Amino acid sequence: MEKMKGSRDNVVDAIGGTPIVKLNFIGKDISSDIYVKLEYMNPGGSTKDRIGAYMLDQAVKEGTLKPGGTIIEGTSGNTGVGLAMWAAVHGYKCIFVLADKQSKEKIDNLRAFGAKVVVCPTNVAPEDPRSYYSVSKRLSETIPNSFYVNQYDNLHNRMTHYTWTAPEMYEQTSGDFDTFMATVGTGGTISGCGRYFKEKMKDVKIIGIDCEGSIVAHFAKTGEMGEAYSYVLEGVGEDFIPENYDFDNIDDWEVVGDKESFLMTRRLLKEEGIYAGGSAGAAICGALKYAKKLEKPEKILILLHDSGNRYASKIYNDDWMSDNGYLDSSFDVQIKDVLASLNKSKDLISITDQATIGEAITLMDKKGISQLPCIDKSGSIKGLVSEKLLLKPVMMGEFSKEDNISLAFNMNYKVVDQNDLLSNVADALLQKEVALVTDKGAIINILTDIDVLQYISKTRAY
Ligand SMILES: Cc1ncc(COP(=O)(O)O)c(C=O)c1O
């Protein structure tokens, strides 16, 4: 039967042709405009669908992948999906080797394609026999008729972007942009697109976005390897320099951190409706940093690599975000701002250490307060008198009105500086009665648990 009009032969043929859209809310405070290429609209959910298909087509052409063969790759998941999709359409088996920091969605997704998945520890050097680079290599040496794709050093990776992704963007925009930016991992995207755009557009700038903990940007700028440390962003950064890097076509770098990237990823969805992965947030953070330094406004084009689907249990999960310290809590605020927002007068009501218990009770009654700090001539705190702890001894006749106030002191308070964060005193407030707030050592105010409750109810839904 003749093929239905308008249909594609198979899902691999549906890769590419992803849209470029303008950001309308994020970046309102910069004069440059940001446009994003939504590579998550590829059928497998990422730009890696392209390299998966291209690298395997080339392997078949070159005879390195033979009929009935097994495709082996060390992949953070996206490339795995691209390869698995191609393998399903063309009838090949796959084994994927992943680092254990990868999200569960990515691992489950690859298994659902029928692939075998081997999970390796994240925090080992690439040359360590347990690393996912070493394990992939070893598997490809022992499994007969296997093909180790190696997206890091297989130069068809960057050729994919040189021959396909970049020409597509150039055609879509007619080259109407000043700067192209992308996060870097294997280096394929930035290097392939960078080379193509540089050949086509005399003045275009190519900016790589790396993450804190990776060595790539540091190496590009200094020629030194530097030291890698662990980070949580997936797909971005490396602890070695893959062959796909072509530093000659990358003009400059921005480096971003996990937290800002994750928060930006969530903003992309909330403010722009763009459901992308963490490296998209990283890319936008990098673009904003870059744009803020510009003298003249630019049109900035950014490739966003993958879909938010794979991060539902991480970046888009409030519990995961706050457990890992990525969500700013309402307790990350300075105490002086809490007091200001509650309109708490700066005139501290206190009593001297010469006063009597009767005077303290009269003062607390007159001012309608339940805690009264006692301060000596030099301004230092001697103790705290509180309504609650006064009641019983007064009722029992243990104290008389004329007794010195020091008899009624309790030490149930914590002294904090007005610049301290509320989060630092929250625990103390649970155990002690009040926090006495100081400015350069002098007591200026009192913060009670009721104040904190009022502050929370004023500033957030709970
Ligand atoms: C989510 C994500 N973002 C960014 C990148 C970086 O792209 P490239 O490897 O082409 O440098 C990758 C690559 O693994 C990725 O999976």
Side-chain angles (χ1 to χ4, degrees):
M1 201 189 298
E2 237 181 72
K3 197 178 98 179
M4 181 198 279
K5 288 193 182 71
S7 67
R8 313 270 169 109
D9 279 348
N10 55 56
V11 73
V12 171
D13 277 358
I15 300 171
T18 57
I20 292 173
V21 304
K22 184 172 185 282
L23 294 191
N24 295 298
F25 299 98
I26 293 172
K28 262 194 313 210
D29 54 339
I30 54 163
S31 43
S32 294
D33 283 339
I34 298 179
Y35 295 83
V36 290
K37 170 103 169 143
L38 301 182
E39 281 290 276
Y40 68 72
M41 293 184 70
N42 281 305
S46 89
T47 198
K48 300 285 180 158
D49 288 1
R50 297 183 194 255
I51 68 164
Y54 187 90
M55 290 188 299
L56 294 178
D57 280 340
Q58 296 304 315
V60 171
K61 269 191 210 150
E62 290 165 3
T64 40
L65 176 60
K66 298 185 188 68
T70 301
I71 297 159
I72 297 178
E73 179 62 324
T75 163
S76 67
N78 286 324
T79 304
V81 170
L83 295 169
M85 207 162 66
W86 186 99
V89 167
H90 294 92
Y92 288 81
K93 295 186 284 290
C94 292
I95 300 177
F96 297 117
V97 187
L98 267 75
D100 57 8
K101 78 169 180 184
Q102 304 303 331
S103 64
K104 189 172 173 304
E105 287 94 328
K106 283 184 179 176
I107 295 171
D108 289 348
N109 196 207
L110 291 175
R111 289 204 170 115
F113 271 103
K116 289 200 173 71
V117 177
V118 181
V119 181
C120 300
T122 302
N123 293 324
V124 294
E127 58 278 5
D128 187 296
R130 296 163 299 165
S131 82
Y132 76 103
Y133 313 109
S134 308
V135 173
S136 329
K137 211 159 162 284
R138 206 165 49 241
L139 285 172
S140 67
E141 283 158 7
T142 49
I143 295 175
N145 196 16
S146 63
F147 170 63
Y148 175 37
V149 184
N150 190 3
Q151 61 172 327
Y152 298 95
D153 302 325
N154 181 337
L155 297 184
H156 291 311
N157 171 356
R158 71 182 187 202
M159 281 308 283
T160 311
H161 297 293
Y162 175 78
T163 58
W164 188 1
T165 326
E168 184 179 300
M169 283 188 274
Y170 185 77
E171 203 172 296
Q172 280 172 305
T173 60
S174 309
D176 182 23
F177 57 92
D178 304 287
T179 296
F180 173 75
M181 304 182 84
T183 50
V184 300
T186 65
T189 311
I190 196 85
S191 304
C193 294
R195 183 177 147 205
Y196 182 85
F197 292 142
K198 288 272 178 193
E199 284 173 6
K200 285 281 180 190
M201 302 158 67
K202 188 164 75 31
D203 296 323
V204 73
K205 279 176 283 175
I206 308 294
I207 311 290
I209 301 158
D210 197 11
C211 63
E212 289 166 7
S214 160
I215 64 159
V216 178
H218 178 77
F219 176 80
K221 286 184 190 171
T222 65
E224 286 163 15
M225 290 301 275
E227 204 165 315
Y229 55 91
S230 72
Y231 52 88
V232 183
L233 266 167
E234 294 176 39
V236 189
E238 292 300 343
D239 49 7
F240 70 110
I241 304 294
E243 290 290 319
N244 269 291
Y245 277 95
D246 173 4
F247 291 111
D248 290 346
N249 286 315
I250 308 171
D251 296 298
D252 210 349
W253 296 84
E254 295 294 339
V255 176
V256 300
D258 285 334
K259 180 174 174 176
E260 57 182 323
S261 302
F262 297 154
L263 292 174
M264 183 58 78
T265 308
R266 291 161 65 103
R267 279 188 64 193
L268 258 182
L269 183 55
K270 278 208 179 99
E271 296 176 35
E272 307 280 351
I274 292 174
Y275 190 33
S279 75
I284 306 296
C285 288
L288 293 178
K289 284 183 190 184
Y290 167 79
K292 282 180 186 149
K293 292 183 273 189
L294 290 172
E295 280 164 13
K296 264 195 347 217
E298 288 190 353
K299 287 179 186 155
I300 300 170
L301 173 60
I302 310 173
L303 184 143
L304 304 187
H305 282 83
D306 73 346
S307 153
N309 269 328
R310 299 191 180 130
Y311 308 90
S313 65
K314 287 186 162 184
I315 302 169
Y316 292 105
N317 180 297
D318 287 353
D319 290 339
W320 183 86
M321 286 289 287
S322 64
D323 287 353
N324 287 283
Y326 300 132
L327 272 193
D328 288 325
S329 87
S330 49
F331 294 112
D332 285 342
V333 59
Q334 286 183 309
I335 290 171
K336 63 181 174 198
D337 295 331
V338 176
L339 294 170
S341 99
L342 293 174
N343 284 326
K344 269 197 93 168
S345 149
K346 256 196 150 189
D347 299 326
L348 175 72
I349 301 160
S350 63
I351 199 157
T352 73
D353 56 351
Q354 303 304 312
T356 62
I357 290 179
E359 286 166 339
I361 294 174
T362 308
L363 184 61
M364 287 162 84
D365 180 39
K366 210 165 109 197
K367 299 286 183 184
I369 54 174
S370 43
Q371 284 108 349
L372 185 63
C374 175
I375 291 170
D376 71 8
K377 270 204 214 96
S378 69
S380 46
I381 174 84
K382 302 305 282 181
L384 184 76
V385 187
S386 78
E387 200 175 56
K388 235 190 300 175
L389 295 177
L390 263 179
L391 186 63
K392 196 171 159 207
V394 169
M395 274 171 63
M396 307 296 284
E398 207 179 298
F399 293 164
S400 78
K401 276 203 289 195
E402 291 76 28
D403 283 336
N404 181 270
I405 190 164
S406 58
L407 266 186
F409 282 169
N410 72 72
M411 298 297 161
N412 213 8
Y413 58 84
K414 179 180 165 80
V415 179
V416 295
D417 188 273
Q418 62 164 348
N419 293 314
D420 284 347
L421 291 181
L422 184 57
S423 50
N424 295 345
V425 299
D427 274 359
L429 277 179
L430 292 175
Q431 290 155 26
K432 310 264 178 196
E433 217 165 303
V434 293
L436 298 179
V437 184
T438 58
D439 179 18
K440 300 185 192 80
I443 312 282
I444 56 159
N445 219 322
I446 248 185
L447 187 74
T448 66
D449 40 10
I450 292 295
D451 292 332
V452 176
L453 284 174
Q454 265 178 11
Y455 173 75
I456 293 171
S457 69
K458 250 182 107 163
T459 53
R460 70 161 191 199
Y462 54 92

